[in-house]
Amino acid sequence: AHEHVWRIRVGVTGPVKDGRIVSMHALREAFEPEVRKLDGSFLNENALLDVESRKFPTCECLAFYFEKSFASKLQKHFPELK
C-alpha cells in the first residue's frame, strides 16, 4: 500500500453578499469531513466507494465520489449556492 496526495478544486456560484459568495472557512468546514473519510484509507477497501471504484480507485472515481458528497453538503449548508 502507498499514499497519494490529492488536490481538490471546488467551484461554486451564487449571489454575492458582503463582497463574496461564501466564506471559504465555512465551505472548508463543510467539505473537510468528506475528504477525511477517504484520506489515508485503503481505497480498495473503503465502503464509501462503490464496488467498481474500489476495484480501480482512479482520480475519476474519486472525483465522482466528491462531486456527489459535496453537492449534498452544498444543498444542506448553502442552499443558495450551486
Side-chain angles (χ1 to χ4, degrees):
H2 60 276
E3 290 191 33
H4 294 267
V5 176
W6 310 330
R7 183 168 294 205
I8 302 169
R9 183 176 291 183
V10 175
V12 296
T13 60
V16 176
K17 183 178 176 185
D18 298 327
R20 63 183 178 195
I21 294 172
V22 66
S23 158
M24 293 302 295
H25 178 75
L27 198 60
R28 187 177 304 242
E29 277 190 345
F31 291 166
E32 190 67 30
E34 296 305 310
V35 174
R36 272 190 258 122
K37 289 177 183 178
L38 295 185
D39 191 26
S41 73
F42 186 53
L43 297 176
N44 298 94
E45 296 178 356
N46 192 311
L48 293 172
L49 298 176
D50 62 57
V51 173
E52 288 302 310
S53 295
R54 286 194 305 262
K55 286 181 187 175
F56 301 103
T58 64
C59 61
E60 292 86 359
C61 294
L62 295 179
F64 181 71
Y65 167 81
F66 285 124
E67 188 276 331
K68 285 189 342 185
S69 63
F70 288 178
S72 173
K73 289 286 186 173
L74 271 179
Q75 188 175 23
K76 180 179 178 183
H77 298 286
F78 311 101
E80 71 281 5
L81 302 180
K82 298 203 181 305

